[in-house]
Structure formats: structure tokens, C-alpha cells
Amino acid sequence: MKYAVISDIHGNTEALEAVLADIEGNGGVDGVWCLGDVTGYGPEPGACIDRVKGLVTWCVAGNHDRGSINKIDLSVFNEHGQAALRWIQTQLDPGQQAWLGTLPLTAADGGFMLVHASPTDPLLEYVLSIGIAERNFPFFKTKYCFFGHTHLPMVYKNEGGIVTATPLTPGVGLVLGETKMMINPGSVGQPRDGDARASYGILDTDGRIFRIHRVAYDIEATQAKIMKAGLPVHLATRLEQGR
Ligand code: ZN
């Protein structure tokens, strides 16, 4: 079976559509797992919800998904995040709000745990260091955990208690063996590793391999929509920087 693993779409329709087209171009998949933050920051939260809810096998809740329906204190977000969430709260229809409210904090499918931020703190903790990853390994029972939130494609491996971190790049497959791992597919709609292209992964459970894919999209179109919506300028400029 093949699964697309997508995360952190953040209301970016152009990036999402480019990724979905790329998935089809790679032969399609049997299911789609979404690691949360369908909304937040970007100009088309409702359109992204409508697109994602029709195609995901699983979607877990991200902090911005909760913020979009006022189900998390907005003080946990920076000023740009808060400004966008206040606007998003006025943009979603009741069906879209209800769907965000149904998203679970975690899910598990075929030996893979899915979570937005971290196993110990599913909504807020940033797994940005070996120390933080190390502390989280005991908190999932499956062999592998997919997570998002940092927007950085990365794998943390735990080999006999020794935890290592490796950035994930396109073309280099990650072999899924006996080693316990925490894997981040990067962000579809707001990459932060210096590569502005949308990031996602394809998991092949028969071949036991996970591969990152990067996809160019029409960044200027998304930026124009951000400006038209009156969202913070920084949210537009960071897209071209991939930071
Ligand atoms: Zn995010």
C-alpha cells in the first residue's frame, strides 16, 4: 500500500493542488494521512478544508486547526498567527468549523502513529532537537511516529537508545527497518527549511520505504491572496524564502 503523508497546509491552495497533482503524477496512492494545520496563516482555509476532508484517510488536529474554531487560547500563537486566526474565525462556514472540531489529537494506522506536534504534547511541542525527540520516544507504542508542526522534513532515529537527527531530502529513500523513528514530511503550505517548494512524503508499506517529494508551486498567486485578505505581509514574504 502507498500513502501520501501531508502536513501543515496552512490555507495554501496553490501548494496543496501542486502536491495533489504530484501525487497523481507519481502513480497515485491508496490513502492520504494529514498531520494537521490545514488552516492558519494562509488565505484559503475553507477551500483547503473542503479539499482535504474529501481525500484523507486520517487527519489529526493541529494547533492552528483548533485556533481556527477558538478551541485553544490564541495567546499561544505569535502576533502574525493570532492575526490570521482571528480573520480565519470569520471565514469558515458551519460545516468547515464542525469538521475541524471532529479532528482527533492522535491516530494510529498499520504500525504508524500520527500526531501534529509530539506524542507527549500533540498540539504545541516543537520537536526541534535530539533531546526533545529522545524524551518523546517512550510515548508511542508503534514503531514509527509521523509528526508535523516544525515544517522541517526530518527523521529522528532511536537505535538502542542513541537518538540521531537527519534532514530528509528528495531522492534519498528512508528505509523502514527495525529502528524506531519519528518522521516529519515537512510542510505543504509554508516550508521552513530554506527550500520554498512544497514538501510531502510517500510511504510505501510493501517496499518499507518513505520518500520526500518537493514540488514547485505558484508562490506569487498565494502571496497576492494573502495581501488581498489583509493578512500580515510577513506571511507572504516568508513563502518565497521558505523560512
Ligand atoms: Zn504549522
Side-chain angles (χ1 to χ4, degrees):
M1 299 278 272
K2 281 188 173 178
Y3 297 91
V5 187
I6 61 176
S7 190
D8 296 279
I9 297 158
H10 285 300
N12 186 336
T13 303
E14 287 73 25
L16 176 59
E17 292 300 335
V19 162
L20 295 178
D22 195 66
I23 292 168
E24 287 310 311
N26 280 303
V29 289
D30 302 296
V32 177
W33 296 345
C34 176
L35 307 177
D37 278 2
V38 177
T39 64
Y41 301 130
E44 295 188 311
C48 286
I49 289 172
D50 292 344
R51 193 74 165 102
V52 166
K53 81 177 172 191
L55 47 97
V56 289
T57 318
W58 289 104
C59 183
V60 293
N63 50 326
H64 287 263
D65 300 317
R66 290 290 167 97
S68 297
I69 50 172
N70 219 10
K71 286 285 192 302
I72 189 170
D73 192 333
L74 293 195
S75 67
V76 301
F77 297 92
N78 66 31
E79 55 172 322
H80 301 309
Q82 285 186 30
L85 286 169
R86 274 191 225 99
W87 176 78
I88 289 164
Q89 287 175 359
T90 69
Q91 298 297 308
L92 302 179
D93 69 32
Q96 291 160 348
Q97 292 173 345
W99 183 77
L100 288 180
T102 65
L103 300 181
L105 287 177
T106 64
D109 195 339
F112 296 84
M113 180 188 181
L114 313 179
V115 66
H116 179 64
S118 82
T120 55
D121 185 350
L123 288 176
L124 292 176
E125 183 174 53
Y126 289 91
V127 182
L128 284 168
S129 72
I130 287 171
I132 296 170
E134 198 168 20
R135 195 163 45 68
N136 273 283
F137 270 104
F139 290 88
F140 60 99
K141 293 191 172 66
T142 54
K143 187 153 281 175
Y144 315 104
C145 171
F146 280 112
F147 71 103
H149 195 47
T150 66
H151 299 205
L152 303 173
M154 181 78 86
V155 60
Y156 292 94
K157 297 181 186 176
N158 186 339
E159 288 170 289
I162 308 294
V163 177
T164 56
T166 312
L168 292 172
T169 53
V172 183
L174 175 67
V175 177
L176 305 176
E178 288 307 302
T179 304
K180 203 169 175 179
M181 297 183 201
M182 294 178 67
I183 307 164
N184 192 318
S187 168
V188 171
Q190 195 195 78
R192 294 181 189 162
D193 63 340
D195 182 341
R197 295 175 298 168
S199 184
Y200 77 98
I202 292 182
L203 168 70
D204 177 346
T205 58
D206 300 324
R208 308 299 292 170
I209 198 154
F210 177 76
R211 285 182 203 279
I212 287 288
H213 295 262
R214 301 302 288 253
V215 192
Y217 71 95
D218 190 348
I219 293 175
E220 285 182 17
T222 309
Q223 291 176 317
K225 290 175 183 176
I226 288 173
M227 300 313 293
K228 192 166 175 231
L231 292 164
V233 179
H234 173 68
L235 296 177
T237 53
R238 71 182 306 173
L239 294 181
E240 74 201 42
Q241 297 161 347
R243 294 276 177 206

